[in-house]
Amino acid sequence: MESTPTPEPRRTVDVASLKALAHPLRVRILDIISQLGPQTSGTLAEILGESTGSTSYHLRQLAKHDFLREVEGRGSARERWWDRPRGSLQIVTRELADNPATSEAAQLVSREFEHRRAAALADFMDHGWLQESPEWSEAATVSTTNIRLTAAQLAEVSERLEAFAMDLVNEIRNRGELAGARPVQIHLNAFPLAAGRTTGAATQPEEKP
């Protein structure tokens, strides 16, 4: 008998954590680790063109608010590896966006994630279709569907699409990573991220790594 996959944990970010995340470099760091997996302050400094002192400081701040965790048994006292805890983040809620104390932070975080997500899709549209191998470009999809719905129907579509997507992603993830795997980003679009680059986001106001 097949076992039922354990549901992904889901965390809704609180006020203090949202304010801690509301820094463009921290959004980028969280995004890169979501895309590429564990990183050190040194590898992030190289990717971002920042000093290791800067990336180390922001890594510690992200870890303080449980956006990241140190990878146990890897690295040394001088070179610590950091990764995302498993699960999804609801980073911006209507309550936080409407709260005068957090609205500015919510806007910054939403804007940064959306900018990076749009950049990833634009990069694939500009280059990926032609520059990726047929194996990858033909496996990708960028699709748009137009339909008139009520708010209740839209909620139904959103919930069912999200549930289906997460069931499928968790099923594939639980099989283990195969040789040849690379970072892939899924919205209602699904496309490979540019090799060696981090142009867009693995995250958005609702992020599912």
Side-chain angles (χ1 to χ4, degrees):
M1 180 196 295
E2 293 187 2
S3 60
T4 303
T6 303
E8 286 283 300
R10 179 173 179 173
R11 172 190 170 192
T12 299
V13 173
D14 59 21
V15 171
S17 296
L18 176 64
K19 288 184 175 180
L21 182 61
H23 186 291
L25 189 56
R26 291 179 195 171
V27 172
R28 293 185 69 190
I29 288 172
L30 181 61
D31 193 20
I32 288 167
I33 291 177
S34 296
Q35 287 183 11
L36 303 182
Q39 301 292 320
T40 69
S41 59
T43 61
L44 286 167
E46 184 175 353
I47 292 170
L48 294 166
E50 299 283 340
S51 69
T52 55
S54 175
T55 55
S56 179
Y57 170 75
H58 290 296
L59 281 166
R60 292 195 302 271
Q61 294 304 306
L62 288 167
K64 180 179 178 181
H65 292 273
D66 298 323
F67 290 111
L68 300 176
R69 64 183 176 190
E70 188 172 358
V71 180
E72 295 183 3
R74 184 175 182 181
S76 64
R78 296 187 62 183
E79 185 182 55
R80 302 164 71 184
W81 288 84
W82 301 90
D83 198 6
R84 280 272 323 270
R86 186 169 179 177
S88 64
L89 287 171
Q90 185 170 5
I91 294 175
V92 178
T93 64
R94 174 56 68 90
E95 180 181 359
L96 292 174
D98 289 344
N99 185 338
T102 52
S103 60
E104 185 174 348
Q107 290 176 0
L108 186 152
V109 171
S110 293
R111 184 169 59 249
E112 288 294 323
F113 278 133
E114 182 56 33
H115 170 75
R116 294 181 62 75
R117 183 175 74 168
L121 179 57
D123 181 78
F124 180 73
M125 296 297 289
D126 288 343
H127 307 291
W129 287 126
L130 298 178
Q131 295 180 5
E132 292 286 349
S133 67
E135 176 187 18
W136 283 97
S137 62
E138 292 172 8
T141 183
V142 177
S143 62
T144 300
T145 301
N146 294 291
I147 184 174
R148 293 176 63 85
L149 301 172
T150 65
Q153 289 172 325
L154 175 58
E156 180 183 1
V157 169
S158 299
E159 290 168 5
R160 291 179 64 177
L161 283 174
E162 179 181 344
F164 175 79
M166 290 311 299
D167 284 347
L168 179 58
V169 166
N170 288 333
E171 177 187 330
I172 293 173
R173 181 183 284 132
N174 288 334
R175 297 174 192 167
E177 186 170 304
L178 302 179
R182 58 183 283 192
V184 170
Q185 193 164 89
I186 302 172
H187 309 150
L188 287 181
N189 309 315
F191 55 91
L193 297 173
R197 296 173 62 185
T198 56
T199 56
T203 56
Q204 51 185 317
E206 173 82 11
E207 190 227 341
K208 302 169 179 66

